[in-house]
Amino acid sequence: MEIDPDIVKEFEELEVSSNKPSEEELKNFDEDSLLKPLNDINKATHPTYTTIPKFFHAPPSPSNTLRQSLRKEAHSLFLQKRSQDLLDNEELNSLWTILEKNCTQVTPLGQQLIGYDDYLKVMKTISPKSRKYLTSRLFAKLQCHSGYPGKVELISIFNYTMRKVWLTQGRIGLSFYDDVGQGFLREIDMENYIIDIIPTLAQISSCVQPSFQSFYVCTVVKKFFFFLDPLHTGRIRIRDILASGLLTELLELRDEESSKESHEHNWFSMPSVLTVYGNYLNLDKDHNGMLSKQELADYGSGTLTSVFLDRVFDECRTFDGEMDYKTFLDFVLALDNRHEPQSLHYLFRILDVQHKGYLTVQTLHYFFKGIQEQIRAVNAEAVNFEDLKDEIFDMVKSKDPCKITLQDLINW
């Protein structure tokens, strides 16, 4: 076994006295006295502290390389042990065979059902690893949603087991990239994860060029953070990644064959990524790798008003007044998913000119003036603002008849 060089270096820098302790010093040595200052700090005066166990352990500081290395090694061993408890394909096939052998009833439609007595037989027959998934509680939960009194479909039990295995496998895989060990992934952690799984994505690995890989990874990671980190904390919870369904959408690209329609609706597919990146390059008229306000005005059908664009560049992160690719991805995701709460949060921040947390009639009129300019430019029929304003408030049905909040829009 190879010893971590950081640990070796830590031990090399330890200062050890070469003086042999005297008999009197050894006699008076009190091990507890060394821990007394720490124990005094940990002592709590509140009576509940004697019964409530400590549940928060602060991670070691980055400067403490020895504890950092120890934590990473322990974390890695823990995840490896959890991986060994997962069912492999052979064990899943064996489970299905046992379930079929103990089938209680087959309906005229071909649905295989199992009663609780036969379910108990299955629990005794299967391996100890499988027994962790098939419990009496599981049967009771599935029975609540079953249309057959006292019986459960075999496929429901098997699908639950497969999904449980997949979620645990996904959590373990993502946890290997959790350097802090607190159940979160930073942007750099997520990028490393995507880079490592690209070879397993048959639809991506076969066509992605090394020069384009960084742009592909950036496009993929941005969707995860746009939907799972709307407050821009810089990290997302692993449990949120698994629950969101985004990871499932990404891993669908493991299948070598898929329809053209699935490519169009999957943000992570190569055609979709190339379309977004191609739009960015087409808008970049001066080829400086950034988008100015004038260049972004040509986005889509070119109907974005100057007033709206001014607010976009006021609120979004820019570099010398120009937008980079990451900021452009946020913009695209918000406009393409306007009914999602995260997109509404993004757009509301742009519309809330005075940062009051709500939109008023004056706010709507401010943006309507930009629309009016475009209407006049194409000689179209004028629109009455009062009619438009009344229609907006009638549709949103805000709690306050004079204000529209973000929550009003989300509830709409």
Side-chain angles (χ1 to χ4, degrees):
M1 178 179 174
E2 188 177 348
I3 301 177
D4 192 320
D6 290 335
I7 298 178
V8 175
K9 184 179 178 182
E10 193 76 14
F11 275 100
E12 287 176 346
E13 294 177 353
L14 285 175
E15 296 182 3
V16 182
S17 175
S18 59
N19 298 328
K20 186 177 180 180
S22 64
E23 291 184 7
E24 185 179 352
E25 287 176 331
L26 289 173
K27 185 178 179 181
N28 295 329
F29 177 73
D30 183 10
E31 185 179 340
D32 294 334
S33 64
L34 297 175
L35 299 175
K36 187 177 179 183
L38 184 62
N39 291 335
D40 290 340
I41 293 173
N42 291 334
K43 279 183 180 177
T45 55
H46 199 280
T48 58
Y49 289 1
T50 59
T51 56
I52 299 176
K54 184 176 180 180
F55 56 86
F56 175 75
H57 299 272
S61 62
S63 60
N64 194 334
T65 55
L66 183 60
R67 284 194 64 195
Q68 284 280 3
S69 300
L70 179 62
R71 189 203 64 76
K72 287 179 181 178
E73 188 66 23
H75 189 231
S76 177
L77 290 173
F78 170 74
L79 294 175
Q80 289 176 25
K81 186 176 183 303
R82 289 295 303 273
S83 297
Q84 294 171 0
D85 294 335
L86 294 174
L87 300 178
D88 56 27
N89 288 335
E90 186 178 337
E91 288 168 320
L92 285 169
N93 289 334
S94 175
L95 173 61
W96 177 250
T97 302
I98 295 172
L99 284 170
E100 282 192 313
K101 286 181 180 179
N102 290 273
C103 177
T104 306
Q105 177 188 345
V106 179
T107 67
L109 296 176
Q111 295 168 302
Q112 296 173 296
L113 307 177
I114 187 171
Y116 188 63
D117 290 338
D118 290 320
Y119 184 79
L120 290 176
K121 294 177 185 177
V122 171
M123 291 173 62
K124 292 177 182 178
T125 308
I126 57 179
S127 65
K129 283 172 67 174
S130 301
R131 213 169 289 146
K132 294 178 181 178
Y133 298 91
L134 270 64
T135 62
S136 298
R137 177 175 292 184
L138 170 62
F139 188 90
K141 285 184 177 179
L142 295 177
Q143 172 59 45
C144 293
H145 302 283
S146 174
Y148 304 93
K151 297 181 180 66
V152 171
E153 290 187 58
L154 294 185
I155 194 65
S156 299
I157 298 172
F158 190 70
N159 284 344
Y160 167 84
T161 306
M162 283 191 63
R163 179 162 177 76
K164 182 86 172 180
V165 170
W166 182 86
L167 287 173
T168 307
Q169 192 176 40
R171 187 177 183 87
I172 291 171
L174 289 168
S175 296
F176 274 110
Y177 297 84
D178 178 15
D179 277 346
V180 183
Q182 297 294 302
F184 295 89
L185 291 186
R186 300 165 299 173
E187 193 166 328
I188 184 66
D189 301 328
M190 199 67 197
E191 287 175 354
N192 291 333
Y193 173 74
I194 300 300
I195 290 171
D196 287 347
I197 68 168
I198 282 178
T200 69
L201 306 177
Q203 296 180 37
I204 303 300
S205 60
S206 60
C207 56
V208 65
Q209 299 296 322
S211 59
F212 186 70
Q213 179 172 291
S214 60
F215 291 99
Y216 176 80
V217 172
C218 174
T219 308
V220 171
V221 171
K222 180 52 70 175
K223 182 167 185 178
F224 279 93
F225 274 82
F226 180 83
F227 284 104
L228 304 180
D229 183 32
L231 299 180
H232 304 287
T233 61
R235 61 182 193 174
I236 50 181
R237 297 193 304 175
I238 291 176
R239 65 167 62 185
D240 290 339
I241 296 174
L242 296 171
S244 66
L246 293 175
L247 188 61
T248 305
E249 186 181 349
L250 174 63
L251 296 181
E252 285 176 359
L253 302 176
R254 288 177 172 175
D255 299 333
E256 294 186 5
E257 296 182 1
S258 61
S259 63
K260 184 179 179 181
E261 185 180 356
S262 65
H263 278 165
E264 294 175 353
H265 292 91
N266 191 330
W267 170 271
F268 305 119
S269 69
M270 187 56 70
S272 294
V273 173
L274 288 174
T275 299
V276 175
Y277 186 67
N279 288 338
Y280 183 78
L281 294 181
N282 291 334
L283 291 172
D284 183 20
K285 303 298 183 185
D286 57 6
H287 306 292
N288 68 341
M290 309 283 278
L291 297 183
S292 65
K293 199 180 301 181
Q294 291 72 26
E295 290 171 333
L296 188 63
D298 293 331
Y299 176 78
S301 57
T303 56
L304 296 174
T305 67
S306 58
V307 175
F308 180 78
L309 289 170
D310 287 341
R311 288 293 301 145
V312 170
F313 278 78
D314 285 343
E315 292 296 326
C316 297
R317 185 181 182 187
T318 57
F319 302 87
D320 295 328
E322 294 196 318
M323 178 183 290
D324 70 345
Y325 183 58
K326 286 187 176 181
T327 308
F328 175 74
L329 289 174
D330 280 335
F331 180 77
V332 173
L333 284 165
L335 293 185
D336 286 354
N337 304 273
R338 297 177 202 181
H339 297 293
E340 297 294 331
Q342 296 86 347
S343 300
L344 291 173
H345 186 278
Y346 177 96
L347 295 170
F348 189 86
R349 189 159 47 93
I350 294 171
L351 298 176
D352 186 12
V353 180
Q354 298 180 327
H355 302 100
K356 290 183 176 180
Y358 56 84
L359 309 180
T360 62
V361 174
Q362 289 74 21
T363 309
L364 299 181
H365 190 263
Y366 174 77
F367 286 98
F368 179 74
K369 287 191 293 184
I371 298 173
Q372 269 185 325
E373 292 175 3
Q374 289 194 341
I375 291 174
R376 293 194 191 104
V378 296
N379 295 320
E381 184 180 352
V383 177
N384 186 292
F385 172 71
E386 291 299 322
D387 294 340
L388 180 64
K389 177 258 299 181
D390 291 341
E391 188 173 346
I392 290 174
F393 274 90
D394 287 343
M395 287 191 301
V396 174
K397 295 182 175 61
S398 57
K399 290 185 178 180
D400 189 322
C402 299
K403 300 175 183 177
I404 297 175
T405 65
L406 174 60
Q407 193 59 49
D408 291 329
L409 294 176
I410 293 174
N411 295 339
W412 178 27

